[in-house]
Amino acid sequence: MFLSKEGLLNILEGNRRLTMRVVEAFPEEELFHYTPAEKLRPFAEMIKEIMNIETGYMRGIALSVWEFPDSFAALSTKEALISACEAVRQDTRKLWEEITEETLEAVEKDPFFGPSQSHFERLQYALENEIHHRGQGYIYLRTLGIEPPEFFVR
């Protein structure tokens, strides 16, 4: 069974809704400063990484503009982080209209992380990265004594 372009977008959207519910579950201070172990990053930093990857890949795939700036480093409030996430996803929805299924099948060297892969595989990596970090967010919330959102509600 082949996953269509719209099917992929639906998966990305459902996962992002869940990720945003995890962000919203955090108290603001802990979102930006809490880590359960010294070598780990606060969850807000992981969300900024997710947004940077999404922005870089979507602009690259849709417009052939391959840049990976750290566009969200200055965000320091929960409200600003949520607003930036919404803006990134709005940009993704607009850029999505420029992408064809043939574009998703195109294979190119990844300008950010190395090996050649299709744009579909690139977006799959971005999704897996988001899921990985969202799982960390679940653990952070639990160590804070906060019940995380239900996983199955997208």
Side-chain angles (χ1 to χ4, degrees):
M1 180 174 181
F2 177 75
L3 181 62
S4 69
K5 175 185 151 188
E6 291 313 310
L8 175 58
L9 181 61
N10 287 336
I11 290 170
L12 296 173
E13 292 282 27
N15 273 275
R16 183 56 51 85
R17 284 190 297 272
L18 180 53
T19 298
M20 294 313 299
R21 290 179 46 233
V22 174
V23 170
E24 290 165 359
F26 271 86
E28 185 163 25
E29 177 69 20
E30 285 77 4
L31 179 62
F32 286 88
H33 300 289
Y34 174 75
T35 64
E38 194 174 309
K39 292 185 178 187
L40 298 175
R41 299 179 289 164
F43 190 59
E45 294 303 312
M46 296 176 208
I47 296 301
K48 292 175 189 181
E49 174 189 303
I50 289 166
M51 290 191 299
N52 281 321
I53 290 171
E54 180 174 354
T55 299
Y57 276 165
M58 289 306 300
R59 291 182 49 79
I61 294 166
L63 307 173
S64 295
V65 176
W66 293 99
E67 300 171 338
F68 195 71
D70 188 0
S71 302
F72 308 102
L75 297 177
S76 61
T77 68
K78 185 175 179 177
E79 180 181 346
L81 185 69
I82 290 170
S83 178
C85 286
E86 290 169 358
V88 166
R89 190 38 61 114
Q90 278 185 315
D91 288 344
T92 291
R93 288 184 197 112
K94 287 177 190 171
L95 292 169
W96 199 257
E97 296 171 14
E98 304 299 317
I99 298 171
T100 65
E101 290 191 0
E102 292 77 26
T103 302
L104 290 174
E105 294 172 0
V107 175
E108 295 181 11
K109 182 171 178 4
D110 191 300
F112 307 136
F113 303 114
S116 292
Q117 57 188 341
S118 71
H119 294 312
F120 178 89
E121 291 169 318
R122 197 165 277 118
L123 293 175
Q124 182 180 4
Y125 162 80
L127 175 60
E128 290 171 358
N129 184 65
E130 179 172 343
I131 292 167
H132 164 74
H133 288 313
R134 185 175 64 229
Q136 289 176 289
Y138 271 73
I139 298 301
Y140 284 25
L141 287 171
R142 288 194 187 282
T143 62
L144 289 166
I146 299 169
E147 184 67 25
E150 295 174 326
F151 176 79
F152 52 86
V153 177
R154 305 281 164 136

